[in-house]
Amino acid sequence: MSSKENCEEYWKKLSRLYPEIFSGTKYFIEEVDLGRRGIFFRLQIGEFFNQIDAEEFCTRFVSKAQKTRSDCIVVE
């Protein structure tokens, strides 16, 4: 996203629309420098115990929100 504020607004929207998925999760905003493309921000969600838990979260989110798999990427 183009700003931290956009990330925060998107987090509020997600947690409001899908409380059953996002309840109890934390979010982080990561600043990313893409060189000539500029500075962008990533919304990262959760402190999952392991990769399986993170994958299950993504599966629930993608299914419930009717998103594509590229909308939820597990990172370490």
Side-chain angles (χ1 to χ4, degrees), residues 25 45-55 57-58 60 74:
T25 59
I45 299 167
E47 286 184 314
F48 297 100
F49 181 69
N50 57 43
Q51 185 171 346
I52 292 169
D53 291 347
E55 291 287 348
F57 173 86
C58 278
R60 285 193 312 273
V74 175

Side-chain angles (χ1 to χ4, degrees), residues 16-42:
R16 186 180 65 249
L17 289 174
Y18 309 106
E20 67 282 2
I21 298 172
F22 292 94
S23 175
T25 59
K26 295 180 181 182
Y27 77 97
F28 309 90
I29 298 173
E30 178 185 25
E31 184 175 313
V32 182
D33 184 347
L34 298 179
R36 290 184 177 171
R37 293 182 62 201
I39 303 290
F40 288 85
F41 299 87
R42 293 180 182 147

Side-chain angles (χ1 to χ4, degrees), residues 1-12 29 41:
M1 295 183 191
S2 60
S3 72
K4 285 184 180 182
E5 292 78 17
N6 287 349
C7 286
E8 290 170 353
E9 287 301 315
Y10 191 55
W11 165 252
K12 289 175 188 175
I29 298 173
F41 299 87

